[in-house]
Amino acid sequence: MRYLGTVEDNQHINLVMEYVAGGTLQSLYKSFDFSDKGIAKYTEEILLGLEYLHSNNIVHRDIKAANILVMDDGKCKLADFGSSRNSTAITDMHSFCGTPFWMAPEMVKQAGHNRFADIWSLGCTVYEMLMKRPPWKDRDTPVFQLFRRIASEGRPSYPPRISSELRDFLDCCFEYDRMQRANV
Protein backbone atom coordinates (compact mmCIF):
# COMPACT_ATOMS: atom_id res chain seq x y z
CA MET A 1 0.00 0.00 0.00
CA ARG A 2 1.11 3.51 -0.63
CA TYR A 3 1.95 5.68 2.36
CA LEU A 4 0.58 9.22 1.96
CA GLY A 5 1.62 10.90 5.21
CA THR A 6 0.95 11.25 8.93
CA VAL A 7 -1.37 13.23 11.13
CA GLU A 8 -0.13 13.70 14.68
CA ASP A 9 -1.71 15.04 17.87
CA ASN A 10 -0.77 14.83 21.57
CA GLN A 11 -1.94 11.22 21.90
CA HIS A 12 -1.73 9.61 18.47
CA ILE A 13 0.31 9.31 15.34
CA ASN A 14 -2.01 8.36 12.48
CA LEU A 15 -0.63 6.98 9.24
CA VAL A 16 -2.52 8.03 6.12
CA MET A 17 -2.56 5.28 3.48
CA GLU A 18 -4.17 5.05 0.06
CA TYR A 19 -7.83 4.06 0.00
CA VAL A 20 -8.55 0.53 -1.22
CA ALA A 21 -12.24 0.19 -2.05
CA GLY A 22 -12.51 -3.58 -2.49
CA GLY A 23 -11.90 -4.53 1.15
CA THR A 24 -9.86 -7.50 2.26
CA LEU A 25 -9.43 -10.83 0.55
CA GLN A 26 -10.93 -12.36 3.70
CA SER A 27 -14.15 -10.34 3.32
CA LEU A 28 -14.38 -11.47 -0.32
CA TYR A 29 -14.00 -15.20 0.33
CA LYS A 30 -16.58 -14.98 3.10
CA SER A 31 -19.05 -13.50 0.59
CA PHE A 32 -18.18 -15.51 -2.52
CA ASP A 33 -17.03 -19.00 -3.43
CA PHE A 34 -13.77 -18.81 -5.36
CA SER A 35 -13.13 -21.09 -8.31
CA ASP A 36 -9.63 -22.47 -8.87
CA LYS A 37 -9.25 -19.75 -11.51
CA GLY A 38 -10.20 -17.03 -8.99
CA ILE A 39 -7.83 -18.45 -6.38
CA ALA A 40 -5.06 -18.54 -9.00
CA LYS A 41 -5.68 -14.89 -9.95
CA TYR A 42 -5.46 -13.64 -6.36
CA THR A 43 -2.48 -15.91 -5.66
CA GLU A 44 -0.64 -14.45 -8.65
CA GLU A 45 -1.30 -10.95 -7.31
CA ILE A 46 0.03 -11.89 -3.86
CA LEU A 47 3.10 -13.49 -5.45
CA LEU A 48 3.85 -10.28 -7.34
CA GLY A 49 3.80 -8.39 -4.03
CA LEU A 50 5.99 -10.99 -2.33
CA GLU A 51 8.41 -10.96 -5.26
CA TYR A 52 8.82 -7.22 -4.83
CA LEU A 53 9.30 -7.48 -1.06
CA HIS A 54 11.73 -10.40 -1.21
CA SER A 55 13.79 -8.77 -3.98
CA ASN A 56 14.20 -5.85 -1.56
CA ASN A 57 15.13 -8.17 1.35
CA ILE A 58 11.84 -7.60 3.18
CA VAL A 59 10.05 -10.53 4.80
CA HIS A 60 6.39 -9.80 5.56
CA ARG A 61 5.90 -12.54 8.20
CA ASP A 62 2.11 -12.16 8.46
CA ILE A 63 0.65 -13.05 5.07
CA LYS A 64 -3.04 -13.93 5.41
CA ALA A 65 -6.28 -12.97 3.64
CA ALA A 66 -7.08 -10.30 6.24
CA ASN A 67 -3.81 -8.55 5.29
CA ILE A 68 -4.48 -8.58 1.54
CA LEU A 69 -6.47 -5.60 0.27
CA VAL A 70 -8.26 -5.88 -3.05
CA MET A 71 -8.66 -2.96 -5.44
CA ASP A 72 -11.81 -2.49 -7.55
CA ASP A 73 -9.97 -3.95 -10.55
CA GLY A 74 -9.03 -7.13 -8.63
CA LYS A 75 -5.39 -6.17 -8.07
CA CYS A 76 -4.11 -6.91 -4.57
CA LYS A 77 -2.11 -4.82 -2.14
CA LEU A 78 -0.20 -6.30 0.78
CA ALA A 79 -0.97 -4.56 4.06
CA ASP A 80 -0.05 -4.68 7.77
CA PHE A 81 3.71 -4.54 7.84
CA GLY A 82 3.84 -4.58 11.65
CA SER A 83 5.67 -7.92 11.67
CA SER A 84 7.80 -7.33 8.58
CA ARG A 85 11.55 -7.12 8.76
CA ASN A 86 14.46 -6.27 6.55
CA SER A 87 16.55 -9.37 6.07
CA THR A 88 19.37 -10.69 3.96
CA ALA A 89 19.27 -14.08 2.29
CA ILE A 90 21.99 -15.42 4.61
CA THR A 91 20.57 -14.18 7.89
CA ASP A 92 17.87 -16.11 9.74
CA MET A 93 15.42 -14.35 12.03
CA HIS A 94 14.48 -15.91 15.35
CA SER A 95 11.75 -13.61 16.63
CA PHE A 96 8.32 -15.10 17.28
CA CYS A 97 5.72 -13.14 15.33
CA GLY A 98 2.81 -13.46 12.95
CA THR A 99 -0.60 -15.06 13.36
CA PRO A 100 -0.64 -18.66 14.67
CA PHE A 101 -2.72 -20.41 11.97
CA TRP A 102 -0.48 -18.99 9.22
CA MET A 103 2.91 -19.53 10.89
CA ALA A 104 5.52 -21.77 9.27
CA PRO A 105 6.90 -24.70 11.30
CA GLU A 106 10.32 -23.08 11.62
CA MET A 107 8.69 -19.97 13.14
CA VAL A 108 6.68 -22.08 15.58
CA LYS A 109 9.80 -24.00 16.61
CA GLN A 110 11.84 -20.76 16.71
CA ALA A 111 14.45 -22.57 14.63
CA GLY A 112 15.23 -19.53 12.50
CA HIS A 113 13.24 -18.36 9.52
CA ASN A 114 13.63 -16.32 6.36
CA ARG A 115 11.58 -15.31 3.31
CA PHE A 116 10.40 -18.91 2.85
CA ALA A 117 8.14 -18.45 5.88
CA ASP A 118 6.10 -16.10 3.65
CA ILE A 119 5.69 -18.94 1.13
CA TRP A 120 4.26 -21.21 3.86
CA SER A 121 1.87 -18.41 4.86
CA LEU A 122 0.90 -17.97 1.20
CA GLY A 123 -0.04 -21.66 1.15
CA CYS A 124 -2.16 -21.08 4.26
CA THR A 125 -3.82 -18.12 2.52
CA VAL A 126 -4.60 -20.19 -0.58
CA TYR A 127 -6.02 -22.89 1.70
CA GLU A 128 -8.03 -20.18 3.45
CA MET A 129 -9.55 -19.00 0.12
CA LEU A 130 -10.40 -22.61 -0.75
CA MET A 131 -11.87 -23.67 2.59
CA LYS A 132 -13.12 -20.29 3.93
CA ARG A 133 -11.00 -20.81 7.04
CA PRO A 134 -7.28 -21.13 7.75
CA PRO A 135 -5.62 -24.55 8.06
CA TRP A 136 -6.04 -26.33 11.39
CA LYS A 137 -9.10 -24.21 12.25
CA ASP A 138 -11.30 -27.32 12.02
CA ARG A 139 -11.10 -27.89 15.75
CA ASP A 140 -11.33 -25.67 18.78
CA THR A 141 -7.67 -26.27 19.51
CA PRO A 142 -5.73 -24.41 22.21
CA VAL A 143 -2.81 -22.43 20.78
CA PHE A 144 -0.11 -24.68 22.28
CA GLN A 145 -1.72 -27.73 20.61
CA LEU A 146 -2.05 -25.80 17.35
CA PHE A 147 1.68 -25.05 17.47
CA ARG A 148 2.44 -28.71 18.15
CA ARG A 149 0.35 -29.73 15.13
CA ILE A 150 2.08 -27.23 12.82
CA ALA A 151 5.53 -28.19 14.09
CA SER A 152 4.96 -31.95 13.83
CA GLU A 153 2.34 -32.57 11.13
CA GLY A 154 3.68 -30.20 8.55
CA ARG A 155 1.13 -29.60 5.81
CA PRO A 156 -2.57 -29.58 6.60
CA SER A 157 -4.90 -32.14 5.07
CA TYR A 158 -6.53 -31.08 1.81
CA PRO A 159 -10.13 -31.62 0.83
CA PRO A 160 -10.58 -34.39 -1.75
CA ARG A 161 -12.32 -32.04 -4.21
CA ILE A 162 -9.28 -29.90 -5.13
CA SER A 163 -7.62 -30.09 -8.53
CA SER A 164 -4.26 -31.78 -8.95
CA GLU A 165 -2.74 -28.41 -9.98
CA LEU A 166 -3.91 -26.74 -6.79
CA ARG A 167 -2.71 -29.73 -4.73
CA ASP A 168 0.73 -29.49 -6.39
CA PHE A 169 0.92 -25.75 -5.69
CA LEU A 170 -0.02 -26.24 -2.03
CA ASP A 171 2.55 -29.04 -1.73
CA CYS A 172 5.24 -26.59 -2.92
CA CYS A 173 4.15 -24.03 -0.31
CA PHE A 174 3.80 -26.58 2.49
CA GLU A 175 7.19 -28.20 2.00
CA TYR A 176 8.24 -28.87 5.59
CA ASP A 177 11.96 -28.23 4.94
CA ARG A 178 12.02 -24.48 4.30
CA MET A 179 15.13 -24.74 2.13
CA GLN A 180 13.21 -27.09 -0.19
CA ARG A 181 10.15 -24.83 -0.23
CA ALA A 182 9.32 -23.03 -3.46
CA ASN A 183 10.53 -19.50 -4.01
CA VAL A 184 8.30 -16.76 -5.42
Side-chain angles (χ1 to χ4, degrees), residues 47-168:
L47 280 166
L48 289 171
L50 285 176
E51 180 179 43
Y52 176 80
L53 291 179
H54 293 177
S55 69
N56 286 285
N57 295 322
I58 298 170
V59 183
H60 189 281
R61 305 194 307 174
D62 200 18
I63 296 294
K64 59 184 179 182
N67 288 341
I68 310 295
L69 301 178
V70 182
M71 305 289 284
D72 282 340
D73 62 1
K75 297 215 181 291
C76 293
K77 300 266 187 169
L78 301 179
D80 191 355
F81 286 83
S83 295
S84 67
R85 182 155 174 220
N86 193 321
S87 172
T88 63
I90 59 171
T91 304
D92 281 348
M93 294 169 276
H94 293 275
S95 53
F96 191 77
C97 65
T99 307
F101 288 105
W102 293 264
M103 290 173 76
E106 62 271 17
M107 291 179 81
V108 168
K109 295 189 298 187
Q110 295 182 306
H113 61 275
N114 56 21
R115 69 182 184 274
F116 294 106
D118 283 346
I119 301 301
W120 180 277
S121 298
L122 172 65
C124 293
T125 303
V126 170
Y127 185 99
E128 183 183 6
M129 286 188 278
L130 178 69
M131 301 296 293
K132 297 185 179 259
R133 62 173 171 77
W136 301 286
K137 184 82 173 184
D138 54 341
R139 302 178 206 158
D140 191 20
T141 307
V143 174
F144 72 91
Q145 287 179 350
L146 168 66
F147 287 151
R148 188 176 315 132
R149 287 179 73 191
I150 294 170
S152 63
E153 291 178 22
R155 68 179 55 126
S157 58
Y158 307 145
R161 64 179 164 84
I162 69 171
S163 67
S164 60
E165 293 86 2
L166 185 51
R167 181 179 301 277
D168 290 346

